[in-house]
Amino acid sequence: MARNRSQDKYYRIILAATRVFAKKGFFHSRISDIAKEAKVADGTIYIYFENKDAILIALFEEQMRAVLDNMVAQLAKEPDSVKRLEIFACTHLELIEQNPDMAEIIQVELRQSGKFMKEYRNERFAQYLDLIADIVREGQASGIFKEDVIPNVFKRAFFGALDEMSRFWVLSSRRHYDIRTAARQVSGYFIGGIRR
Amino acid sequence: MARNRSQDKYYRIILAATRVFAKKGFFHSRISDIAKEAKVADGTIYIYFENKDAILIALFEEQMRAVLDNMVAQLAKEPDSVKRLEIFACTHLELIEQNPDMAEIIQVELRQSGKFMKEYRNERFAQYLDLIADIVREGQASGIFKEDVIPNVFKRAFFGALDEMSRFWVLSSRRHYDIRTAARQVSGYFIGGIRR
Amino acid sequence: MARNRSQDKYYRIILAATRVFAKKGFFHSRISDIAKEAKVADGTIYIYFENKDAILIALFEEQMRAVLDNMVAQLAKEPDSVKRLEIFACTHLELIEQNPDMAEIIQVELRQSGKFMKEYRNERFAQYLDLIADIVREGQASGIFKEDVIPNVFKRAFFGALDEMSRFWVLSSRRHYDIRTAARQVSGYFIGGIRR
Amino acid sequence: MARNRSQDKYYRIILAATRVFAKKGFFHSRISDIAKEAKVADGTIYIYFENKDAILIALFEEQMRAVLDNMVAQLAKEPDSVKRLEIFACTHLELIEQNPDMAEIIQVELRQSGKFMKEYRNERFAQYLDLIADIVREGQASGIFKEDVIPNVFKRAFFGALDEMSRFWVLSSRRHYDIRTAARQVSGYFIGGIRR
DNA sequence: GATGAATGAGGCTTCATTCAT
DNA sequence: AATGAATGAAGCCTCATTCAT
């Protein structure tokens, strides 16, 4: 019971932080902004999190876990490597469309050096990228994809392409085309490029 | 004469800021850090720049102008659209290799919301992306590239792929492969994907 | 309870500021001086006041309210217009004698242009002056004072005379005569001057 | 020749400071503001004045000397003590009308404690007040004014009344009555009040 | 556990003053 | 004598964090 209520506050703070960070950026967000958004006192945040940085780390962990789980579930439905790449692109971009706050943070704040990406090894993000590398390896094993494609290069290129698309999506107010059109275009380039 | 000395200090501050921002990130960098690195007094910085944000903006402008000019010069040598895409990829990644401080800032800080990307329209960056779109349009005009490729989608995907490669390059200490190998892989995927 | 403690700090800061401003002048007073005098942390001041200017404004408001209330109470005791002018002069100068810090600030800092007297309309000060004008009007109505006296001119002249006396009082260390003597002299000049 | 040019700069700086201090107040005025107004370089000011405070002191000295000389000249024309008081009031307020910048500074900045009025004995201002005391003494000697009037109290009351009138005059934008009407009212109160 | 008032270290920025030219 | 770029000390203010209630 007390546990549940605590859990509840923990997630309320994470969600509040997601909204606040997305709107103002990590450095311009104040603890009191998050507290207000989460409807808790400033001090309460320090019961659940060591400090401000820890909120961002936890936010990444929680959000990336959900993103990762969702992607694994989506990919599990389809055995064909080509289709799997399409699904990855589409799932990734749809997620951005549905959860733009989180997308903004992952894109913008994940790049923050200083505390993140250098000192903090983002394990889940690495796993997320490896889903792509695995698809490529499967495709190569089944002879669909070229042998000279380096999976660890491909995974970054593919993710980077999607990520840049989604940044544009998040940042631009006017939408020029459907997000699924974008997903199909991008996965199309890559599939064409590595298919035998 | 006075002009030269002034110009001199202006660029010394820009270069100092490039080093400091790259190392500590914009928000963790102190004006006094930049001043020390540039070997000027703290107050001197405010003779040349309105405030801390303005240093970052100026830094982008100056560095992006150099990057853009260099890219235009490199592309001018080659008429073939396919080769031009390879040149773009190679030039981009080589630049990152040669100027990792600037690369770090453009990648990490350019994403900062707040003052950048939202309020500050990065004209030069848009021009840089449009170089890619133009190559695609030329290739389509000469019948080399597929007609259904959307240049404005392609340019982001292509840039995003290179950018993610270069982030990895900048952030990882151990190098697994040559940067030119990466450039060839990435441009290879895209060229294969949009060629007729 | 929390309210009382807050109120307590608010007035402690006002009183500390009164002492510090009186001693060093507004511009030479540091926030840290006031904080030290009030025995609070520097930052605490910003919980109760927007900025340094706001402390001065609040100080005026609070002190002028007390001064005004006191003067109204003193005047209420006496119906005779002539005696009321004497009471005004005496009460005003006695207040200065009892509260020289406040007097110094009102005299010295109230004149500061910039934020005060021009942008900030001092309502209470205007009310204070109008007490004098009202006495004159009453005296004119009852036929004691000359009809050609302009109350709105008289109020300034009368206040100015007292104010200059009190400035001398505050600033000079050696006292040449009793403050009540001064009050009687000044009110004497004016009463003689406007009596029929 | 060089002397004349130097003298010229000295007064240009004084006049520029008068305008700038009047507009922004002493503390909000920057040396560079005065330099710009005087059309000299910042550093030039330090050839003629020790520091910022010294400009204000010099400004008082110069302006008060002119004010004093003018008042002495005006009073010299009239032997009658009653008329002399009227002339003082009228001359004082006319000066304020003609030179509002100087009036603002003398009223506002002269009150500044800290550096002025306490540490800096304003000799000329004392002399200015003593002109009033002398008129009273003459009037008492010739039996026109009451014997019990204390000249050193009267001088402050009279000056204070005029000063407050002029403050109102300087600060208010809309003019409700003629400045000579005010002069006559004020001197009228006092003359009526001390006449036998 | 929850609160939010209080703390105080530290940053950005200003601007009087200097000094090489 | 004149300049104005450069200096750097110092102040206002913010805000992450603490802790008494």
Side-chain angles (χ1 to χ4, degrees):
Chain A
M1 182 68 162
R3 175 74 181 285
N4 284 337
R5 286 175 54 79
S6 293
Q7 289 290 73
D8 176 52
K9 285 237 170 83
Y10 176 84
Y11 284 110
R12 255 172 46 209
I13 294 167
I14 293 266
L15 286 175
T18 306
R19 285 191 291 273
V20 174
F21 288 165
K23 192 177 175 194
K24 313 174 85 164
F26 178 75
F27 283 99
H28 286 129
S29 297
R30 283 166 288 149
I31 289 290
S32 61
D33 294 332
I34 300 169
K36 198 174 290 173
E37 181 81 21
K39 294 189 203 302
V40 297
D42 291 20
T44 305
I45 290 182
Y46 287 85
I47 298 168
Y48 295 91
F49 300 91
E50 183 121 12
N51 53 35
K52 197 183 166 190
D53 288 353
I55 303 175
L56 186 51
I57 303 271
L59 189 160
F60 284 145
E61 291 289 330
E62 295 289 343
Q63 301 278 28
M64 282 304 298
R65 189 169 47 144
V67 168
L68 194 59
D69 289 352
N70 177 53
M71 186 61 80
V72 168
Q74 292 300 318
L75 292 176
K77 299 172 186 168
E78 175 60 54
D80 179 58
S81 297
V82 166
K83 292 246 176 75
R84 280 160 75 84
L85 277 182
E86 276 174 3
I87 286 171
F88 190 104
C90 214
T91 305
H92 182 87
L93 291 182
E94 276 171 352
L95 194 81
I96 265 71
E97 195 177 32
Q98 289 156 27
N99 206 341
D101 283 348
M102 185 209 66
E104 170 116 8
I105 294 171
I106 289 178
Q107 284 171 3
V108 173
E109 306 300 343
L110 195 62
R111 264 81 177 188
Q112 281 297 348
S113 54
K115 292 274 165 266
F116 317 107
M117 286 307 268
K118 271 180 174 161
E119 299 170 20
Y120 158 64
R121 292 295 296 157
N122 195 332
E123 237 5 274
R124 304 238 199 256
F125 178 66
Q127 288 170 36
Y128 193 65
L129 286 190
D130 281 333
L131 291 178
I132 305 171
D134 288 343
I135 298 173
V136 173
R137 284 191 202 96
E138 291 157 20
Q140 289 177 320
S142 55
I144 301 172
F145 295 153
K146 292 177 188 164
E147 279 302 321
D148 62 353
V149 171
I150 304 172
N152 280 333
V153 171
F154 184 90
K155 72 182 178 189
R156 289 176 193 287
F158 191 67
F159 173 78
L162 290 173
D163 188 49
E164 185 64 35
M165 288 310 306
S166 70
R167 170 165 31 261
F168 175 63
W169 200 260
V170 166
L171 295 177
S172 73
S173 36
R174 296 167 301 144
R175 297 289 135 84
H176 301 87
Y177 36 74
D178 188 69
I179 205 163
R180 263 154 301 274
T181 305
R184 240 174 291 119
Q185 281 268 326
V186 175
S187 54
Y189 307 151
F190 281 91
I191 291 162
I194 64 171
R195 220 173 196 164
R196 268 194 210 276
Chain B
M1 182 70 163
R3 174 74 181 287
N4 284 337
R5 286 179 52 78
S6 293
Q7 289 289 73
D8 177 52
K9 285 240 168 77
Y10 176 84
Y11 284 110
R12 253 169 52 206
I13 293 166
I14 293 265
L15 287 175
T18 307
R19 283 191 292 272
V20 174
F21 288 166
K23 189 176 176 195
K24 313 174 88 164
F26 177 76
F27 283 100
H28 285 127
S29 298
R30 309 287 144 231
I31 288 290
S32 59
D33 296 333
I34 300 171
K36 200 172 290 172
E37 181 82 20
K39 293 188 204 303
V40 296
D42 291 22
T44 304
I45 290 181
Y46 289 85
I47 299 172
Y48 295 92
F49 301 91
E50 187 124 7
N51 52 36
K52 198 183 163 191
D53 287 354
I55 303 175
L56 187 51
I57 303 270
L59 190 159
F60 284 144
E61 291 288 332
E62 295 288 344
Q63 302 277 27
M64 281 304 297
R65 189 171 46 144
V67 168
L68 193 60
D69 289 352
N70 176 54
M71 186 61 83
V72 169
Q74 293 299 319
L75 293 176
K77 299 171 184 166
E78 176 60 55
D80 179 58
S81 297
V82 167
K83 292 246 177 72
R84 280 160 76 85
L85 278 182
E86 277 172 4
I87 287 171
F88 192 104
C90 215
T91 303
H92 183 86
L93 291 182
E94 276 171 353
L95 194 81
I96 265 72
E97 196 177 32
Q98 287 155 28
N99 207 341
D101 282 349
M102 184 209 66
E104 169 114 8
I105 293 171
I106 289 178
Q107 283 172 2
V108 173
E109 308 299 344
L110 194 61
R111 264 82 176 187
Q112 280 298 347
S113 55
K115 290 274 164 270
F116 315 108
M117 287 308 267
K118 270 180 173 163
E119 296 172 22
Y120 159 64
R121 294 301 293 158
N122 196 333
E123 244 355 282
R124 301 237 203 257
F125 178 66
Q127 288 171 36
Y128 193 66
L129 285 190
D130 280 333
L131 290 179
I132 305 171
D134 287 343
I135 296 172
V136 173
R137 286 191 201 95
E138 289 158 20
Q140 291 177 319
S142 54
I144 302 172
F145 296 152
K146 292 177 187 165
E147 279 302 319
D148 63 352
V149 170
I150 303 171
N152 280 333
V153 171
F154 183 90
K155 72 181 179 189
R156 290 176 195 286
F158 191 67
F159 172 79
L162 290 173
D163 190 48
E164 184 65 36
M165 288 309 306
S166 69
R167 169 162 35 260
F168 175 63
W169 199 259
V170 166
L171 295 178
S172 73
S173 35
R174 296 167 300 143
R175 297 287 137 83
H176 302 88
Y177 36 75
D178 188 69
I179 204 163
R180 261 153 302 273
T181 305
R184 240 174 292 117
Q185 281 268 327
V186 175
S187 55
Y189 308 151
F190 282 91
I191 291 162
I194 66 172
R195 220 172 196 161
R196 269 193 207 275
Chain C
M1 181 68 163
R3 174 73 181 288
N4 284 338
R5 286 180 52 77
S6 292
Q7 287 290 73
D8 176 53
K9 285 240 167 78
Y10 176 84
Y11 284 110
R12 254 174 48 209
I13 294 167
I14 292 264
L15 287 175
T18 307
R19 284 190 291 274
V20 174
F21 288 166
K23 190 177 175 195
K24 313 175 87 163
F26 178 75
F27 284 100
H28 286 128
S29 298
R30 309 287 144 232
I31 288 290
S32 60
D33 296 333
I34 301 169
K36 201 171 290 173
E37 182 80 20
K39 293 190 205 300
V40 296
D42 291 22
T44 305
I45 290 182
Y46 289 87
I47 298 172
Y48 295 92
F49 301 92
E50 187 124 9
N51 53 36
K52 199 184 161 190
D53 287 354
I55 302 174
L56 188 50
I57 303 271
L59 189 161
F60 284 144
E61 292 288 331
E62 295 288 345
Q63 303 277 28
M64 282 304 299
R65 190 170 46 143
V67 168
L68 193 58
D69 289 352
N70 177 52
M71 185 62 82
V72 168
Q74 293 300 318
L75 293 175
K77 300 171 185 167
E78 177 59 55
D80 179 56
S81 297
V82 166
K83 292 246 177 73
R84 282 160 75 84
L85 277 182
E86 276 172 7
I87 286 171
F88 192 104
C90 214
T91 305
H92 183 86
L93 290 182
E94 276 171 353
L95 195 80
I96 265 71
E97 195 178 32
Q98 288 155 28
N99 207 340
D101 283 347
M102 184 209 67
E104 169 115 8
I105 293 170
I106 289 179
Q107 284 171 2
V108 174
E109 307 299 343
L110 195 61
R111 267 80 177 188
Q112 280 299 346
S113 55
K115 290 277 162 268
F116 317 108
M117 286 308 267
K118 272 181 172 163
E119 297 171 22
Y120 159 63
R121 294 302 294 159
N122 196 333
E123 240 1 278
R124 303 238 200 256
F125 179 66
Q127 288 171 38
Y128 193 66
L129 286 190
D130 281 334
L131 290 178
I132 305 170
D134 287 344
I135 297 172
V136 173
R137 284 192 203 95
E138 290 158 21
Q140 290 177 319
S142 55
I144 301 171
F145 295 152
K146 292 178 187 163
E147 279 301 322
D148 61 353
V149 171
I150 304 171
N152 280 333
V153 171
F154 184 89
K155 72 181 180 189
R156 288 175 196 285
F158 191 67
F159 172 79
L162 291 172
D163 189 48
E164 184 64 34
M165 288 310 304
S166 70
R167 171 164 33 259
F168 174 63
W169 200 261
V170 166
L171 295 177
S172 73
S173 33
R174 296 165 301 144
R175 297 287 135 86
H176 301 86
Y177 36 75
D178 188 68
I179 205 163
R180 259 153 304 273
T181 306
R184 241 174 292 119
Q185 281 270 325
V186 175
S187 54
Y189 308 151
F190 281 91
I191 291 162
I194 65 172
R195 221 173 196 161
R196 265 193 211 274
Chain D
M1 181 69 161
R3 175 75 180 285
N4 284 336
R5 287 175 54 80
S6 291
Q7 286 292 73
D8 175 53
K9 285 235 168 84
Y10 176 84
Y11 285 109
R12 256 172 46 209
I13 294 166
I14 293 267
L15 287 174
T18 307
R19 284 190 291 273
V20 174
F21 289 166
K23 192 177 175 194
K24 312 174 85 164
F26 178 74
F27 282 99
H28 286 130
S29 298
R30 284 165 289 148
I31 288 290
S32 61
D33 294 333
I34 300 169
K36 198 175 287 173
E37 182 81 20
K39 294 190 204 300
V40 297
D42 291 21
T44 304
I45 290 181
Y46 287 85
I47 297 169
Y48 295 91
F49 300 92
E50 185 121 9
N51 53 36
K52 196 184 167 189
D53 288 353
I55 302 174
L56 188 50
I57 303 272
L59 189 160
F60 284 145
E61 291 289 330
E62 295 290 341
Q63 300 277 26
M64 281 305 297
R65 189 170 46 146
V67 168
L68 195 58
D69 289 353
N70 177 54
M71 185 61 81
V72 169
Q74 293 299 318
L75 292 176
K77 300 172 185 167
E78 177 59 56
D80 180 57
S81 296
V82 167
K83 292 245 178 75
R84 280 160 74 84
L85 278 182
E86 277 174 4
I87 287 170
F88 192 104
C90 214
T91 305
H92 184 86
L93 291 182
E94 276 172 353
L95 195 80
I96 265 70
E97 196 179 33
Q98 287 155 28
N99 205 343
D101 284 347
M102 187 209 63
E104 170 115 9
I105 293 170
I106 289 178
Q107 284 172 1
V108 173
E109 308 299 344
L110 193 62
R111 265 82 175 187
Q112 280 299 345
S113 55
K115 291 272 165 269
F116 317 107
M117 286 306 269
K118 269 180 174 164
E119 297 171 22
Y120 158 64
R121 290 295 296 158
N122 196 334
E123 240 1 278
R124 303 238 198 256
F125 178 66
Q127 288 169 37
Y128 193 66
L129 286 190
D130 281 334
L131 290 179
I132 305 170
D134 288 343
I135 297 172
V136 174
R137 286 192 201 95
E138 291 158 20
Q140 290 176 320
S142 55
I144 303 173
F145 295 152
K146 293 176 188 163
E147 278 303 320
D148 62 352
V149 170
I150 304 171
N152 280 333
V153 171
F154 184 89
K155 72 181 180 189
R156 289 177 196 286
F158 191 67
F159 172 79
L162 291 173
D163 189 50
E164 184 65 34
M165 289 310 305
S166 71
R167 171 167 31 262
F168 175 63
W169 200 261
V170 166
L171 294 177
S172 74
S173 35
R174 296 167 301 143
R175 297 290 133 84
H176 301 88
Y177 35 75
D178 188 69
I179 203 164
R180 262 153 303 272
T181 305
R184 241 175 292 120
Q185 281 269 327
V186 175
S187 54
Y189 308 151
F190 281 92
I191 290 162
I194 65 172
R195 221 172 195 164
R196 270 193 207 273

